[in-house]
Amino acid sequence: VAYPIHAGDRFYGLVALELRSESEEGLKYAMEQLQWGISWMEVMLRREKENEAEAIVKRLKGSVDLLADVISRKNHMSASLSFVTELATYLACDRVSLGFIRNKKIIIQAVSHSSRVTENMNLVRAVINAMDEAVSQHKEVYYPGSTNERQIIRDHEALSKEHGSTFILSIPFYDEDRYVNIITLERSRGSSFTDDDAMYCKSIGSLILPVLKIMQEREMPLALKISAWFKELLKSTIGASHTGKKLIVLLLVFLIIF
């Protein structure tokens, strides 16, 4: 006898039994018992799907609420602090640090539950080293490391030993052709970071970090804005193409000099 396992529109599998029955009644009774057993499995699978859907809705709501909170802040620093503090609360972290990468150098923008980033320079250096370790490997780094994947975790181990973080996760964020931000999450107790934690952090980071970038650019002094624009323009004119842009840049340089 055999009976399929369904939950909603999804087919999960099939249960098949080989039986010896001296009568058709015995075979019918066995089939009824199998159906009863399968029905309990289907109920459990439906509940699991409902729980997953509820978790997704909860995370989406949390993401929207966090975005609204960040946008409502008066300046970039306040918004960054709010972001890492709320992320720490949601993922049950003792500390979440946000780093900004400029000219291949990592600068700590915000640390959760702390309005002054430079309160502990030893901690700042240890976090930056861990962040740099993840960026250099072009992927997220878990500490303790996974047995299924080889990772360099020397600086994460140092951060753990020196500052009491039992579990660490560092996630770099890529924009266009380079890494621009990195987030390091730390827990001193509880459970290790999961792929679901990393996925949520990446999704919420992809939503919030561009907003923080816009806020930061708006607060830049005019001279820095011009300098950043000029650097991007020079970068875009490198190569055999972009003849028109090159002529514009040369004309600007000529006007500035003379």
Side-chain angles (χ1 to χ4, degrees), residues 24-203:
E24 190 169 332
E25 288 296 323
L27 189 61
K28 184 179 179 181
Y29 175 77
M31 190 63 180
E32 289 175 352
Q33 295 301 307
L34 178 61
Q35 289 175 351
W36 274 106
I38 294 298
S39 66
W40 279 107
M41 294 180 65
E42 290 176 343
V43 168
M44 291 176 63
L45 288 169
R46 288 193 184 96
R47 286 179 179 173
E48 185 178 334
K49 288 184 67 176
E50 290 173 359
N51 291 337
E52 289 177 357
E54 288 178 3
I56 291 172
V57 170
K58 182 179 178 182
R59 288 198 166 188
L60 285 173
K61 183 180 182 301
S63 299
V64 172
D65 291 343
L66 181 53
L67 177 61
D69 182 70
V70 166
I71 293 174
S72 69
R73 298 291 169 168
K74 293 182 179 180
N75 54 57
H76 165 257
M77 291 305 300
S78 175
S80 297
L81 179 59
S82 173
F83 169 52
V84 293
T85 300
E86 290 298 324
L87 187 60
T89 301
Y90 190 86
L91 292 178
C93 299
D94 294 284
R95 183 169 46 244
V96 173
S97 304
L98 171 63
F100 173 69
I101 304 171
R102 177 182 293 169
N103 298 325
K104 298 182 179 181
K105 182 179 179 181
I106 297 175
I107 301 169
I108 299 294
Q109 282 183 299
V111 178
S112 62
H113 309 100
S114 176
S115 58
R116 295 179 60 188
V117 175
T118 58
E119 282 182 349
N120 187 337
M121 288 308 300
N122 290 331
L123 172 62
V124 170
R125 281 190 290 268
V127 171
I128 288 176
N129 289 338
M131 289 179 167
D132 189 59
E133 192 170 59
V135 171
S136 64
Q137 295 178 74
H138 307 291
K139 61 182 179 181
E140 57 265 24
V141 172
Y142 295 81
Y143 178 85
S146 171
T147 56
N148 300 324
E149 185 178 1
R150 295 185 62 184
Q151 295 186 116
I152 300 172
I153 56 173
R154 181 184 59 215
D155 291 317
H156 282 74
E157 184 177 14
L159 174 61
S160 173
K161 290 181 177 179
E162 293 172 11
H163 300 282
S165 300
T166 307
F167 308 107
I168 306 172
L169 171 62
S170 293
I171 304 175
F173 289 83
Y174 196 82
D175 181 31
E176 294 182 358
D177 59 344
R178 62 189 185 277
Y179 287 103
V180 292
N181 288 103
I182 181 163
I183 294 175
T184 293
L185 308 97
E186 301 171 64
R187 289 175 182 159
S188 61
R189 56 192 176 277
S191 58
S192 60
F193 289 102
T194 64
D195 291 338
D196 286 341
D197 292 331
M199 183 64 67
Y200 176 73
C201 187
K202 285 190 282 189
S203 63

Side-chain angles (χ1 to χ4, degrees), residues 229-246:
W229 172 82
F230 198 70
K231 287 179 181 178
E232 287 298 321
L233 188 59
L234 284 174
K235 182 180 177 181
S236 67
T237 58
I238 295 174
S241 58
H242 307 292
T243 304
K245 287 185 178 180
K246 287 179 180 179

